[in-house]
């Protein structure tokens, strides 16, 4: 391509329409959609288009974003009804458009594309997403050794970036907001399966409660939308097996631990 | 002194939270598939009810058994069974395919591949079906 080809003006370039969900509670109590026309560059993702809208067309548009490279997990939105990280969703894949951009489903909307995530943060904290090890080794005893095979057991769960796409894909969470939810259970498993951790029992009380794993009916869409291939659906089903085994053990061998 | 934030209360945004639509599952094939997987369990229930009625007919004597057998051979029963069979197969097939997600088996330090777990499940299904078929046709 020549220099002039790549540096065309906006008028000459193909465009695509974005129908953007707007909710500005101080102006209107009901949400609406605004349509914006943005340039359709091959290398542009939806987030680029939103930044273009905010910079050039309507500065009042509100949305969250940070790293623009699939690490921070803050730019999750619904594009044509699918939960995606907008930094990883290319405009050209939605051509000729229009693309309907909505805030993450199943969450309350605070403004435009910004959702309230208090519920998720509270639930995440509930399962103690850290290494619980009160009687840890002393420095003299040295480090904790873990083989690659042992790490492999939970490594995929460590990849979670808390983007909450799985909550948007989960119809159970939509209908039963009490449900602890996919990412939180996967993260609990991340620590349960870690050899350094001893918080399994404390987490069991939360995960095996009514609003824990048993709410899950294995729709499986959480694993489909996960940008980091964490497979929360798999984590939940594995935990169901584990919780069932431990329940039977406690009934058949109440003396054992 | 009170400060006005318009319709906002400080630190308490005016949240918009629509009700989850009843027909949420229509929008996506993956959700439709899920609903199908769950509702086809009714076919499994249908078989269970038929079995209970059959046992009941046996306990009531030869006439009741003959009447029930006759009903089973009726066109209505056969069409019901054909539909129930398709549903039950779909139900089993979708659940069998999900088995490797819940079953993570280790031999030594190696994880047993998903295809092996899936294959073992299907092999067991086929094995049980053959045994049942043998019992029903030879005894």
């Amino acid at each position: 391509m020549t220099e002039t080809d790549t540096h065309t003006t906006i008028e000459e370039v193909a465009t695509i329409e974005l129908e953007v969900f707007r909710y500005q509670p101080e102006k209107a109590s009901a949400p609406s959609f605004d349509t914006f026309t943005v340039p359709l560059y091959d290398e542009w993702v939806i987030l680029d288009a939103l930044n273009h809208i905010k910079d050039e067309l309507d500065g009042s548009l509100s949305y969250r974003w940070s790293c623009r490279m699939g690490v921070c997990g803050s730019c999750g939105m619904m594009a044509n009804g699918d939960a995606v990280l907008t930094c990883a969703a290319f405009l050209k894949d939605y051509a000729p458009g229009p693309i309907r951009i909505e805030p993450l489903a199943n969450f309350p909307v605070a403004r435009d594309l910004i959702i309230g995530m208090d519920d998720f943060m509270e639930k995440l904290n509930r399962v103690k997403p850290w290494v619980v090890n009160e009687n840890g080794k002393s420095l003299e005893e040295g480090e904790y050794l873990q083989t690659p095979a042992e790490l492999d057991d939970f490594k995929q769960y460590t990849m979670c970036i808390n983007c909450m796409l799985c909550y948007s894909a989960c119809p159970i969470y939509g209908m039963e907001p009490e449900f602890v939810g996919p990412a939180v259970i996967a993260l609990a498993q991340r620590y349960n399966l870690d050899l350094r951790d001893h918080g399994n029992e404390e987490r069991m009380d939360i995960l095996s409660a009514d609003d824990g794993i048993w709410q899950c009916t294995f729709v499986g869409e959480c694993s489909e939308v996960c940008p980091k291939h964490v497979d929360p659906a798999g984590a939940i089903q594995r935990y169901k097996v584990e919780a069932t085994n431990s329940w039977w053990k406690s009934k058949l061998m109440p003396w054992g631990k | 002194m009170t400060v006005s934030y318009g319709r906002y209360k400080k630190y308490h945004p005016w949240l918009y939270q629509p009700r989850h639509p009843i027909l949420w599952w229509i929008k996506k094939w993956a959700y439709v598939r899920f609903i199908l997987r769950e509702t086809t369990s009714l076919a499994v229930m249908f078989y269970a009810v038929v079995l209970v009625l059959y046992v009941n007919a046996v306990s009531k004597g030869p006439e009741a058994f003959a009447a029930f057998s006759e009903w089973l051979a009726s066109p209505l029963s056969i069409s019901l069974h054909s539909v129930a069979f398709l549903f039950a197969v779909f139900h089993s097939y979708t659940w069998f395919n999900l088995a490797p997600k819940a079953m993570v088996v280790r031999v030594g330090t190696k994880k047993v591949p998903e295809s092996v777990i899936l294959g073992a499940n299907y092999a067991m299904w086929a094995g049980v079906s053959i045994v049942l078929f043998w019992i029903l046709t030879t005894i």
Side-chain angles (χ1 to χ4, degrees), chain A residues 8-82:
Chain A
T8 46
T9 55
I10 286 170
E11 284 74 33
E12 291 166 45
V13 90
T15 58
I16 190 164
E17 275 189 359
L18 258 64
E19 296 169 2
V20 184
F21 181 98
R22 302 302 302 267
Y23 173 62
Q24 295 167 302
E26 76 284 3
K27 287 187 187 156
S29 55
S32 57
F33 283 88
D34 279 355
T35 303
F36 300 99
T37 305
V38 300
L40 174 62
Y41 296 120
D42 273 0
E43 64 275 20
W44 267 25
V45 291
I46 292 174
L47 183 60
D48 291 317
L50 292 174
N51 285 340
H52 174 83
I53 293 169
K54 189 158 179 85
D55 288 348
E56 310 284 341
L57 305 173
D58 184 349
S60 71
L61 181 67
S62 304
Y63 52 97
R64 285 196 184 100
W65 68 288
S66 181
C67 79
R68 47 115 188 92
M69 49 199 270
V71 175
C72 75
S74 43
C75 70
M77 293 168 208
M78 308 301 282
N80 287 349
D82 294 323

Side-chain angles (χ1 to χ4, degrees), chain A residues 105-121:
Chain A
N106 301 340
F107 288 98
V109 183
R111 183 179 189 83
D112 291 347
L113 299 165
I114 294 179
I115 51 120
M117 58 171 92
D118 301 16
D119 182 58
F120 172 76
M121 298 312 282

Side-chain angles (χ1 to χ4, degrees), chain A residues 86-102:
Chain A
T86 51
C87 65
F90 283 88
L91 291 177
K92 64 177 177 197
D93 294 337
Y94 295 86
I99 318 172
R100 207 171 175 83
I101 309 292
E102 291 164 283

Side-chain angles (χ1 to χ4, degrees), chain B residues 68-78:
Chain B
F68 195 77
S69 301
E70 201 179 312
W71 178 81
L72 279 182
S74 71
L76 173 71
S77 157
I78 288 172

Side-chain angles (χ1 to χ4, degrees), chain A residues 23 25 82 109 153 169 217, chain B residues 7 14 16 28 31 37 106:
Chain A
Y23 173 62
D82 294 323
V109 183
D153 218 13
T217 52
Chain B
R7 283 182 58 199
W14 196 274
Y16 168 73
K28 240 190 201 174
Y31 293 146
R37 189 190 80 199
R106 272 166 195 288

